[in-house]
Amino acid sequence: LILSIIASSVWANEVVPVSRTKLALSKRNGDVKEYLEDLKEGSLNAELSEDSSVDNDQTDLSKNEIDIKPNVGDGRDLERWLFSDWLNNNKSAGKGGRKKEPALPILKKAKWNSGDNPVLVTAALMMVGILIASVTERVGTAGPL
């Protein structure tokens, strides 16, 4: 029990903040920024080729206003869908991204309470698996009807 408390404290207070800082720096000036720009360019090129009637001046102005869509057909649709929050994040409009609905309605103020939190999703999947295993065990040991 004590080891679990220490491990979770180190995880929450040391590992996660350092990793988030590294990711934020990489999103601003590093490999993650280049990766996201590649994904965005593929979607923008497909979007702009569909609407070829727009002149170049309007194209440059509207690049930041176009929502990045995952279904471009260049083989990177899954990646674009997974990173759609980051690709469509328009901080210049004064918004810090879209507001996500809480995954657990009873904990609306918790920062970690979203459906894309991997720890929350894993815990929910484990609970569903435990519930299914419990029900099938009960049904299996009930005997013949």
Side-chain angles (χ1 to χ4, degrees), residues 30-120:
D31 293 338
V32 174
K33 180 181 180 181
E34 293 173 12
Y35 176 75
L36 292 173
E37 285 177 353
D38 286 345
L39 286 177
K40 193 179 278 193
E41 282 298 318
S43 181
L44 287 175
N45 289 339
E47 181 80 23
L48 294 176
S49 66
E50 288 177 6
D51 189 21
S52 60
S53 64
V54 178
D55 63 355
N56 287 338
D57 293 336
Q58 286 181 334
T59 301
D60 291 338
L61 292 174
S62 64
K63 276 188 179 181
N64 291 331
E65 298 171 9
I66 296 175
D67 279 341
I68 305 302
K69 297 176 182 167
N71 52 349
V72 174
D74 63 350
R76 299 181 78 183
D77 295 344
L78 178 64
E79 296 171 70
R80 210 169 277 108
W81 176 74
L82 287 172
F83 293 109
S84 61
D85 284 351
W86 287 358
L87 293 170
N88 289 322
N89 189 4
N90 189 4
K91 289 186 178 180
S92 62
K95 305 185 280 184
R98 70 178 175 90
K99 178 73 175 151
K100 297 179 185 176
E101 292 297 319
L104 301 173
I106 59 173
L107 299 171
K108 291 184 179 186
K109 301 287 185 189
K111 291 182 180 180
W112 51 266
N113 186 13
S114 68
D116 61 355
N117 182 336
V119 175
L120 189 63

